[in-house]
């Protein structure tokens, strides 16, 4: 498909469930904002890209990446002006433009670096946009760290409801472990609809934009599994800053949190190089107090069959062969899984059996998709499961990690605490 500039500007994509705002209010810029030029209000600003979102390519304590999809020439000035709210000293940085797949649109990107940790910033695009806000991650976990995770979103009304619930928790960031839009590497409209939903609703109560960290799933890929990067055009066009060469990466937050993001065979094989890389990454972080592994297809599924039949591999079988022994060797406390479209919490597991020193697997990807899971009495490794649209809120407080499952109406479905990590403060090179 070739979506033209005129088509982009003229289409509303109303049929893709962009949906009502559920009472989400517009947040005005703070009253004490000092700008080097007059700032139009959010109501009348001529340029307000409805695909604008923040992400990270590296160090979340000192950088932020601003991205949006737009027609080239929609605004003449695409530079980013920014300043901290404390000193009001503005700087300006250019953005780059590269093709947005299957269209003549562009992805505009600007990575702001050299920022101060734990600091509120304001920014705007050119001179015609309103002022937006973001916050860098702190250098130390002197206060609780909290973030949202989930997966299997789509663009329906349940997705929007969970976006709004996520934003109401005022998370530091959102982590989506695959199957973001369900565009299957093909649909421009669906991918744009996902970005528009996220941009509109994932705004904290103080107007701060909530950064998005994404992992790859089968519905980012034309063909799902064992495909080259070119078959996941939208995912890698948007997130190649974090994934320049492979479908897996790490992201470290100071000395208090490490995310290890994996590719369950979509564009990178599970075994071989990725498994070797995983062992190296976890060995480097063996003394980090909080390591979260994120993957799409679950090692311990709640809906699909874990055991293969008639020569067909069971769900998560390759994970259990190549990755789970490494998780257990390096005492990973939590693995966030998705793909099955349920809520799931396993028992702490070692070699598939309950053990207080085992690995906790949380999932299973029902942000906007839903199936009926097995129950704990049917699968020995399950501790809890249910058929609910949900997201997870993770809170790191001192040496404790708490995990809350919330449904789309904000009801607390499940609460647990993970343990068994050797605590320490070792900075990764």
């Amino acid at each position: 498909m070739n979506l033209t500039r005129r088509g982009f500007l003229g289409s509303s994509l109303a049929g893709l469930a962009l949906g009502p705002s559920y009472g989400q209010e517009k947040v005005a810029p703070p009253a004490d904002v000092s700008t080097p030029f007059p700032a139009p209000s959010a109501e009348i600003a001529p340029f307000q890209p409805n695909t604008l979102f923040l992400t990270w390519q590296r160090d979340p304590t000192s950088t932020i990446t601003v991205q949006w999809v737009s027609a080239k020439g929609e605004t003449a000035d695409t530079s980013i002006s920014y300043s901290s709210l404390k000193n009001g000293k503005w700087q300006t940085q250019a953005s780059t433009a590269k093709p947005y797949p299957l269209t003549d649109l562009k992805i505009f990107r600007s990575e702001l670096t050299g920022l101060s940790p734990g600091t509120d910033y304001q920014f705007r695009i050119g001179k015609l946009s309103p002022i937006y806000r973001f916050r860098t991650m702190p250098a130390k976990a002197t206060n609780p760290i909290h973030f949202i995770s989930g997966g299997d979103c789509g663009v329906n009304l349940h997705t929007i409801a969970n976006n709004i619930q996520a934003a109401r928790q005022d998370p530091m960031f959102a982590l989506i472990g695959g199957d973001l839009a369900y565009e299957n590497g093909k649909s421009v409209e669906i991918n744009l609809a996902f970005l528009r939903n996220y941009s509109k609703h994932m705004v904290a109560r103080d107007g701060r934009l909530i950064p998005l960290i994404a992992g790859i799933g089968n519905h980012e890929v034309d063909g799902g599994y064992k495909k080259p990067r070119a078959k996941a055009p939208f995912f890698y066009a948007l997130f190649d800053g974090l994934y320049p060469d492979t479908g897996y990466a790490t992201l470290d937050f100071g000395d208090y949190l490490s995310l290890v993001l994996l590719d369950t065979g979509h564009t990178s094989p599970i075994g071989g190089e990725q498994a070797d890389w995983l062992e190296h990454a976890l060995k480097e972080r063996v003394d980090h107090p909080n390591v979260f592994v994120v993957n799409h297809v679950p090692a311990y599924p709640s809906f699909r069959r874990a055991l293969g039949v008639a020569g067909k591999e069971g769900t998560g079988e390759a994970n259990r062969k190549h990755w789970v022994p490494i998780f257990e060797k390096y005492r990973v406390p939590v693995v966030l899984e998705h793909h099955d479209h349920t809520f799931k919490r396993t028992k702490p597991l070692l070699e598939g059996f309950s053990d207080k020193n085992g690995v906790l697997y949380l999932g299973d990807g029902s942000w906007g998709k839903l199936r009926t899971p097995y129950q704990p009495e049917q699968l020995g490794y399950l501790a809890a499961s249910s058929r609910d649209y949900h997201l997870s809120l993770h809170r790191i407080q001192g040496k404790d990690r708490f995990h809350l499952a919330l449904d789309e109406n904000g009801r607390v479905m499940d609460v647990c605490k993970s343990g068994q990590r050797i605590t320490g403060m070792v900075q990764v090179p």
Side-chain angles (χ1 to χ4, degrees), residues 117-129:
T119 301
D120 286 296
Y121 283 84
Q122 56 193 343
F123 76 95
R124 63 185 302 185
I125 303 168
K127 296 180 176 62
L128 299 179
S129 86

Side-chain angles (χ1 to χ4, degrees), residues 187-243:
S187 175
V188 172
E189 297 97 328
I190 293 175
N191 189 254
L192 286 174
F194 172 84
L195 295 178
R196 286 169 170 162
N197 284 343
Y198 190 94
S199 182
K200 179 178 181 180
H201 299 293
M202 291 296 279
V203 180
R205 298 183 186 189
D206 62 357
R208 174 179 54 87
L209 304 188
I210 299 168
L212 167 62
I213 303 169
I216 193 168
N218 55 297
H219 285 288
E220 273 71 62
V221 184
D222 183 359
Y225 302 88
K226 300 180 180 179
K227 300 299 179 182
R229 285 170 67 95
K231 291 293 186 177
F234 301 105
F235 181 83
Y236 286 118
L238 293 167
F239 300 106
D240 61 337
L242 184 57
Y243 304 97

Side-chain angles (χ1 to χ4, degrees), residues 359-429:
V359 180
L360 181 67
Y361 297 83
L362 296 175
D364 250 1
S366 61
W367 195 296
K369 304 289 182 178
L370 204 58
R371 293 192 180 105
T372 301
Y374 288 105
Q375 296 302 306
E377 56 268 24
Q378 295 173 290
L379 286 177
Y381 56 72
L382 285 181
S385 65
S386 68
R387 178 186 168 89
D388 289 286
Y389 296 101
H390 91 286
L391 52 86
S392 293
L393 173 63
H394 309 278
R395 183 178 177 92
I396 299 169
Q397 188 166 343
K399 295 182 178 181
D400 295 321
R401 283 179 303 276
F402 300 95
H403 314 279
L404 283 75
L406 305 173
D407 73 7
E408 62 181 332
N409 298 310
R411 176 179 63 94
V412 176
M413 300 160 46
D414 186 70
V415 180
C416 68
K417 180 180 176 182
S418 56
Q420 66 80 47
R421 184 68 177 170
I422 300 173
T423 59
M425 294 293 180
V426 177
Q427 186 69 41
V428 176

Side-chain angles (χ1 to χ4, degrees), residues 41-209:
S41 70
E43 287 74 19
I44 64 172
F47 183 64
Q48 300 187 57
N50 59 7
T51 55
L52 176 67
F53 74 101
L54 305 179
T55 188
W56 285 299
Q57 300 171 228
R58 47 185 170 158
D59 191 359
T61 69
S62 63
T63 76
I64 200 76
T65 296
V66 181
Q67 287 194 170
W68 72 95
V69 178
S70 178
K72 189 174 183 180
E74 188 175 350
T75 186
D77 185 358
T78 60
S79 63
I80 304 297
S81 297
Y82 64 99
S83 75
S84 75
L85 293 185
K86 291 180 179 179
N87 61 34
K89 183 179 179 181
W90 286 80
Q91 303 178 65
T92 300
Q93 179 171 306
S95 65
T96 60
K98 65 176 187 176
Y100 176 74
L102 308 182
T103 73
D104 63 358
L105 304 176
K106 300 294 182 183
I107 298 173
F108 293 87
R109 174 185 294 171
S110 184
E111 185 187 26
L112 310 182
T113 61
L115 306 177
S116 299
T119 301
D120 286 296
Y121 283 84
Q122 56 193 343
F123 76 95
R124 63 185 302 185
I125 303 168
K127 296 180 176 62
L128 299 179
S129 86
I131 290 176
Y132 303 97
R133 293 182 60 179
F134 69 87
R135 181 179 301 144
T136 52
M137 293 295 292
K140 299 285 185 181
T142 52
N143 292 315
I145 304 298
H146 55 286
F147 64 94
I148 289 288
S149 79
D152 300 84
C153 299
V155 296
N156 60 46
L157 293 177
H158 299 288
T159 304
I160 293 171
N162 265 329
N163 286 355
I164 293 168
Q165 288 301 335
R168 286 175 178 166
Q169 311 311 313
D170 283 329
M172 293 175 163
F173 60 90
L175 172 60
I176 299 180
D179 289 3
L180 284 72
Y182 280 76
E183 92 286 338
N184 294 307
K186 299 176 182 179
S187 175
V188 172
E189 297 97 328
I190 293 175
N191 189 254
L192 286 174
F194 172 84
L195 295 178
R196 286 169 170 162
N197 284 343
Y198 190 94
S199 182
K200 179 178 181 180
H201 299 293
M202 291 296 279
V203 180
R205 298 183 186 189
D206 62 357
R208 174 179 54 87
L209 304 188

Side-chain angles (χ1 to χ4, degrees), residues 247-271:
Y248 47 90
T250 57
L251 192 63
D252 295 305
F253 297 69
D255 55 11
Y256 54 86
L257 172 64
S258 294
L259 301 180
V260 180
L261 301 123
L262 300 177
D263 178 342
T264 42
H266 310 295
T267 62
S268 302
I270 290 173

